[in-house]
Amino acid sequence: MPLETPAMEQLSTLSGKYGDEGDQLLYKILNSGDYFKKLSAYQTQAMGHEELDKTFIPSYDNTIENLDPKKSLPFIAEKGLRYDLTVPFARYVTMNRNSITLPFKRYQMQTVWRADKPQKGRYREFWQCDADVIGSDSLVNEAELLKMYDEVFALLNLPVVIKVNNRKLLSALATLIKAEPHFVAITVAIDKLDKIGQSGVTDILVQTGLDTKQIQQILTFLNLGKLANPIEAAEVMLGDLEEGKLGIAELKKLREFLSLLSPFNTIEFDFTLARGLSYYTGAIVEVQANIGAFKSSIGGGGRYDNLTGIFGMPGISGVGISFGLDRIYDVMEEQQLFPSYLKTNDTKILFCYFDATTQLKALSLCAELRNNGIAAEVYPDITKKIGKQLEYANKLQINYACIIGESELQSNTLQVKNLQSGEQHPMEINSLITLLQ
RNA sequence: GUGGUUUUAGCUCAGUUGGUUAGAGCGCCUGAUUGUGGUUCAGGAGGUCGCCGGUUCGAGCCCGGUAUUCCACCCCA
């Protein structure tokens, strides 16, 4: 079923769900009214002012520069703009737990906002199209959602690579090399392998504080992807660990399901896929266009085991995918994948005229055509220049022009010109309606 | 958040070591053609050179600040 959630959420709902970077990219909304004057002495202290009391507040110039932005934020901004569709969905599920039936499926197509510097393929406001299943652990859901990616992009004629991994393997890897505290740093580093290569990844890991042996094991893990049976190879490496065992089992099961669904696109298991959103716990997926120069992801998703738990409804697992609509548009525009019929004008005919009297006639004829379900337009300005009006129709790709002058008014007929063939015939309004219907 | 870059006519852009009245192409308008398109020809309109300040006899050009565009990084859709 379709679902929509408000553009604004409580900042407390959004904070901490997307990683450190995510919190910085959240658009915060200032509280209403004179939020500084409303602050209590206690609150101003909490904002970093040991000696500040309320009488001091009205002197804004003195106070603002002394405020600690991080400490101040909760007091001056309680709302933020939607950052993705998954977290609001989890909030919705929690709030409506009594009225929805699990497993619950929904799709959601709305804009989200990131407080980012815009650049190529990167927008401050963009559309996401999400599909999620919540309240079921089954890997059938993963398989079906991956197949949904596959089918949608096949319908769009846009070849893609769908990359799949499992967070549990990455987690097991961190356990194996005894570097659990550096889990996030490790995932961020290996995610960059494509861009900066092994040496670049090594550099980052050294800076993180890992030793040579640990780094070597990470690189070994990454290279498993090149083998013929990467999942089995990973099993040898990580299968003794609890999370490794689970992750391997999930990937194997998913591979089995997918083999039955005969995908059109490449679905590959890629151990370098990490993803930054912190709420993913199991399968993670990312979609890349397999055509053109744009290499950033045009879709992503994964399984989140405890997102509703944060809102007070533990033990519910969900999995979802997201289509990055704007980036998909960008790639399709670049590759000219939009079908030509989308580019034609719906307007069938333009009414051309010469003076105030024929203008009235054109308006009433146009209305009559519209009443018959025909898209028609009237040239808006009075001009003696018929050529200009025809050229306007041309530029708008309107195929017919109806010319109304004094002689047509008297004979009660219409001159209808086909702008492609150049042919022009007099006809009655009824035959014009038949012609265009 | 860090680094770079852009800003001149409606649009896309030239503009030399600072020097008279800032240019081009396209578009637009008018006419050849007082009611029949895409071509052609002739003519025309349109710019406080992003903004504020400074240097200079003189600034589109140099300097400072500020806004803005796009790009890369970071991160992601």
Side-chain angles (χ1 to χ4, degrees), chain A residues 119-393:
Chain A
Q119 52 186 278
K120 194 182 181 71
R122 160 169 295 200
Y123 305 98
R124 285 183 173 144
E125 177 182 6
F126 57 95
W127 285 83
Q128 289 195 330
C129 306
D130 274 36
D132 285 67
V133 183
I134 200 162
S136 163
D137 290 332
S138 169
L139 289 162
V140 166
N141 302 310
E142 270 88 338
E144 288 200 318
L145 289 169
L146 289 176
K147 183 60 184 167
M148 182 184 286
Y149 264 148
D150 183 52
E151 282 184 23
V152 167
F153 286 112
L155 284 170
L156 292 175
N157 253 327
L158 175 58
V160 294
V161 176
I162 302 169
K163 294 179 177 178
V164 183
N165 195 10
N166 195 301
R167 269 274 168 89
K168 293 192 174 81
L169 291 192
L170 300 172
S171 176
L173 177 68
T175 308
L176 180 73
I177 63 171
K178 298 190 171 55
E180 290 99 327
H182 296 122
F183 175 67
V184 173
I186 293 171
T187 55
V188 168
I190 64 179
D191 203 31
K192 293 194 184 118
L193 183 67
D194 279 351
K195 260 188 190 170
I196 58 178
Q198 285 207 4
S199 61
V201 173
T202 306
D203 289 346
I204 294 179
L205 293 174
V206 169
Q207 280 173 24
T208 309
L210 300 188
D211 61 37
T212 316
K213 201 178 158 192
Q214 290 172 311
I215 293 171
Q216 194 50 51
Q217 284 186 285
I218 291 174
L219 294 180
T220 305
F221 174 73
L222 295 181
N223 284 322
L224 295 181
K226 294 173 188 164
L227 302 174
N229 295 305
I231 299 178
E232 281 69 18
E235 187 171 20
V236 174
M237 189 173 181
L238 301 169
D240 293 337
L241 296 157
E242 187 60 27
E243 282 201 289
K245 199 181 293 178
L246 283 171
I248 296 290
E250 287 181 17
L251 284 178
K252 279 185 174 174
K253 195 73 184 167
L254 188 55
R255 184 175 61 184
E256 185 189 347
F257 285 152
L258 288 172
S259 68
L260 300 172
L261 296 175
S262 50
F264 306 103
N265 293 285
T266 311
I267 300 182
E268 62 181 35
F269 294 94
D270 181 351
F271 294 152
T272 70
L273 176 64
R275 296 191 59 72
L277 267 59
S278 48
Y279 50 68
Y280 292 124
T281 52
I284 45 180
V285 54
E286 204 163 281
V287 183
Q288 227 179 49
N290 201 11
I291 182 174
F294 190 70
K295 284 303 160 209
S296 298
S297 65
I298 56 176
R303 178 169 285 277
Y304 39 92
D305 276 330
N306 201 25
L307 201 45
T308 53
I310 297 163
F311 301 115
M313 186 184 179
I316 307 293
S317 182
V319 57
I321 58 170
S322 181
F323 293 85
L325 196 58
D326 304 72
R327 286 183 172 179
I328 293 171
Y329 276 9
D330 287 345
V331 174
M332 290 183 66
E333 284 275 10
E334 185 195 282
Q335 299 297 323
Q336 303 186 326
L337 293 175
F338 283 110
S340 56
Y341 64 78
L342 290 176
K343 290 170 189 158
T344 57
N345 197 325
D346 286 337
T347 304
K348 297 278 190 297
I349 187 163
L350 179 76
F351 284 94
C352 308
Y353 54 87
F354 303 97
D355 52 29
T357 314
T358 45
Q359 182 182 49
L360 294 178
K361 181 70 177 171
L363 263 177
S364 71
L365 286 169
C366 182
E368 193 171 344
L369 286 198
R370 286 175 180 169
N371 286 338
N372 284 278
I374 297 164
E377 284 186 53
V378 175
Y379 191 82
D381 299 312
I382 293 177
T383 171
K384 291 283 183 199
K385 287 186 164 279
I386 185 69
K388 196 176 162 183
Q389 303 184 46
L390 294 176
E391 197 173 320
Y392 179 74

